[in-house]
Amino acid sequence: MDHIDKRPSSFYEERGYNKDIMPKTKEQRNFSAFNYFTLWMGAVHNIPNYTAVGGFLLLGLSPLQIMLALVISSFAIGIILAANGYAGSKYGIPFAIHLRLTYGDLGAKLPGILRGVIAGIAWFGLQTYAGALALIVLLEKLFPGFTTIGGDSKFLGLTASAAIAFFIFWLINFAIGFGGGSILNKFTAVLNPLIYIIFGGMAIWGIKVGGGFSNILAYDLTSNSNSTYPIILGFLVVMNSLIAVWAAPGASVADFTQSAKSTKAQVIGQIASVVVAHILFAISSVCILIGASIFSGKQEWNILYIIGQWDSLIAIIFAIGVLLMTTISTNATSNIIPAAYQLSALLPKIITYKRGVIIAAVISVLIMPWKMMENSDSIFMFLNLIGAILGPVAGVMIAHFYGVINKKVDLDRLYFDIHNPPKNLERLNVKAYIATIIGVVVSFLGFIPGLKVISDLSWFIGFSTAAVLYLILKNLKKDR
């Protein structure tokens, strides 16, 4: 049976905490398995993920093997989300406090900033700009000549049309994030059936123009392959890439599972959500990309370009509209909500969740993400850096919760008086830091010539190295 904290909110307020990072009460835990089932759908069907499949088609695997690799990967992602979300669902604690549980209150600052502030805000800006590019395509279709508004004049480095699209989309994303989990829950409930309809329809279109499903499965990808991997290694590369995409929400999933009605609800809901979404994603992404390639006679990778070539304006509106909605869903679950919670945890007496959303949203504009996207090498270097760090962080968090404290949490000790912490409290878990840092270093050995396989499997290697090393360090002295 899940632990329900029955102490009044004043207990935590007197200790220096705001309501946003207090343990959720029974009344506040209203997320059912169905809510979690709809939560992650939008995080799967988005523009970057469809583009990633284009890269998977260059690994030398067959279309069927790629589909199977995507589905198998989804089971691993679902298990990671459910396992790391257990602490949130059982004790009602958010990610910021889950980090404290592992690293100590001082130790939690660095991984919290990396995940919630740097990765969260930067990703929020980048995803918003990527969505704005799709919005520009839609607005140009609806209002021919939209892209010529303002001529050559620029605002903060953006053309007038790009600035209009960006701030419209930014405002929508901000509103969803400001509303928090309750608004997001309603939003995803509406989005979920639309995903099945639109992407299911696009998959049917891809099969039709590709000459049938059997023709798509028989499509020869080896002529376009940059490198050929053995089948098993190719599967692992696909899995590593997909899990790395989920590294951020996989680490901070307690921000959502803290609202679960029960641990069973989040486990069933999350695993079912990710697996079902990826089954549709595996079929639709491969069928759309290969079907369009067969139809056009050349390899197509950009789903926005494919949609833009359709004859039906109605079809274009619905397809891009749903892609924009999935981007909003991803931005809320993976970026703005974790960023707001982390900012609140850094200064709990000053910054509430909603103030955190405002700060994160404003900073996402000030960093001018469109400038970061001018150089693709720097973008991917940044994203790979964050992914490589968050793999070891998740590894240590899971190892600590299951292997060290055996899923038992003392909330009174965890939520100590931040002004007068107990003298015997471990405020910095040095062993957790050592394991995390070594995990990061090992995962980056793949940049050394001849060790590319480590880079290809960086998340797996970083996660497992950090987790195993941490358990070894904790067992050198029985200091549990």
Side-chain angles (χ1 to χ4, degrees):
M1 183 176 180
D2 290 346
H3 172 89
I4 301 294
D5 186 64
K6 298 180 179 179
R7 283 171 292 199
S9 59
S10 59
F11 173 83
Y12 299 100
E13 292 173 352
E14 291 170 357
R15 293 186 167 200
Y17 296 95
N18 64 57
K19 63 181 181 64
D20 295 314
I21 56 175
M22 295 175 187
K24 295 290 186 183
T25 63
K26 183 178 181 179
E27 292 71 26
Q28 292 173 311
R29 301 188 191 191
N30 54 9
F31 268 42
S32 65
F34 178 75
N35 295 137
Y36 286 105
F37 183 80
T38 62
L39 178 65
W40 297 118
M41 280 288 179
V44 177
H45 296 273
N46 55 56
I47 298 168
N49 278 2
Y50 273 83
T51 303
V53 173
F56 297 155
L57 296 176
L58 298 176
L59 294 177
L61 299 176
S62 70
L64 180 59
Q65 288 169 343
I66 292 174
M67 289 184 188
L68 290 175
L70 291 171
V71 174
I72 292 172
S73 301
S74 70
F75 280 96
I77 294 168
I79 291 171
I80 291 169
L81 289 170
N84 211 28
Y86 188 98
S89 62
K90 184 173 183 179
Y91 297 99
I93 59 176
F95 170 59
I97 302 301
H98 191 185
L99 272 182
R100 169 181 289 186
L101 176 66
T102 304
Y103 290 92
D105 71 302
L106 292 178
K109 303 297 184 183
L110 179 58
I113 290 172
L114 288 172
R115 163 56 188 113
V117 181
I118 297 178
I121 293 176
W123 255 118
F124 180 77
L126 289 169
Q127 286 274 15
T128 301
Y129 182 60
L133 294 178
L135 183 58
I136 290 173
V137 174
L138 180 59
L139 291 174
E140 179 64 25
K141 291 290 183 179
L142 293 173
F143 308 104
F146 171 77
T147 55
T148 63
I149 293 176
D152 296 329
S153 61
K154 291 188 175 182
F155 174 72
L156 296 177
L158 288 174
T159 62
S161 59
I164 292 171
F166 177 82
F167 283 106
I168 289 175
F169 198 57
W170 175 88
L171 187 60
I172 296 171
N173 280 268
F174 168 77
I176 296 295
F178 195 77
S182 59
I183 297 298
L184 178 63
N185 186 20
K186 296 175 182 178
F187 181 81
T188 54
V190 174
L191 175 62
N192 187 40
L194 290 177
I195 288 175
Y196 282 102
I197 294 171
I198 296 301
F199 290 107
M202 290 178 67
I204 294 172
W205 170 84
I207 293 172
K208 182 178 179 181
V209 299
F213 190 62
S214 60
N215 204 30
I216 288 176
L217 293 181
Y219 187 69
D220 183 13
L221 296 169
T222 57
S223 60
N224 296 315
S225 177
N226 291 332
S227 59
T228 301
Y229 288 85
I231 292 178
I232 294 178
L233 182 57
F235 267 64
L236 290 175
V237 170
V238 172
M239 291 181 66
N240 183 82
S241 299
L242 274 187
I243 294 174
V245 170
W246 287 79
S252 60
V253 67
D255 282 339
F256 298 97
T257 58
Q258 65 172 329
S259 299
K261 289 183 176 180
S262 67
T263 293
K264 181 180 179 181
Q266 69 92 358
V267 170
I268 294 175
Q270 290 202 104
I271 294 177
S273 173
V274 174
V275 172
V276 172
H278 275 89
I279 290 174
L280 173 59
F281 174 67
I283 297 172
S284 63
S285 60
V286 172
C287 288
I288 293 168
L289 293 174
I290 293 181
S293 299
I294 295 174
F295 180 70
S296 66
K298 61 180 180 179
Q299 198 67 56
E300 299 286 2
W301 310 111
N302 189 332
I303 191 169
L304 287 178
Y305 177 80
I306 293 172
I307 294 173
Q309 301 307 303
W310 292 350
D311 295 328
S312 172
L313 177 61
I314 298 298
I316 292 174
I317 292 173
F318 275 102
I320 292 184
V322 171
L323 279 172
L324 289 172
M325 291 175 70
T326 60
T327 301
I328 293 170
S329 177
T330 303
N331 237 353
T333 55
S334 301
N335 304 321
I336 193 68
I337 289 178
Y341 274 121
Q342 279 304 311
L343 289 168
S344 178
L346 289 173
L347 296 170
K349 294 288 286 184
I350 301 174
I351 302 177
T352 62
Y353 167 78
K354 290 188 175 181
R355 288 177 182 173
V357 170
I358 295 172
I359 293 171
V362 170
I363 294 176
S364 73
V365 176
L366 296 179
I367 63 174
M368 294 190 288
W370 47 90
K371 291 290 184 181
M372 296 173 63
M373 293 186 71
E374 288 178 348
N375 188 330
S376 60
D377 292 336
S378 63
I379 296 171
F380 286 113
M381 185 177 295
F382 170 78
L383 297 179
N384 288 337
L385 173 65
I386 297 300
I389 290 174
L390 293 180
V393 169
V396 171
M397 290 175 69
I398 290 176
H400 181 79
F401 187 70
Y402 291 94
V404 176
I405 64 174
N406 195 27
K407 300 183 290 186
K408 296 178 181 178
V409 177
D410 183 347
L411 289 177
D412 184 51
R413 187 174 178 82
L414 185 59
Y415 283 88
F416 57 79
D417 186 336
I418 61 176
H419 303 295
N420 299 291
K423 292 182 179 180
N424 63 342
L425 185 70
E426 184 180 37
R427 305 191 66 187
L428 173 61
N429 187 343
V430 176
K431 294 179 180 180
Y433 259 69
I434 292 174
T436 301
I437 292 171
I438 292 178
V440 171
V441 171
V442 170
S443 66
F444 272 93
L445 291 178
F447 288 102
I448 299 176
L451 297 177
K452 185 177 181 296
V453 66
I454 296 178
S455 177
D456 291 335
L457 305 175
S458 60
W459 190 93
F460 281 123
I461 292 173
F463 178 93
S464 57
T465 298
V468 172
L469 179 58
Y470 178 63
L471 291 176
I472 292 173
L473 291 174
K474 293 298 287 186
N475 281 284
L476 289 178
K477 293 181 180 179
K478 299 296 182 178
D479 57 347
R480 299 186 184 187

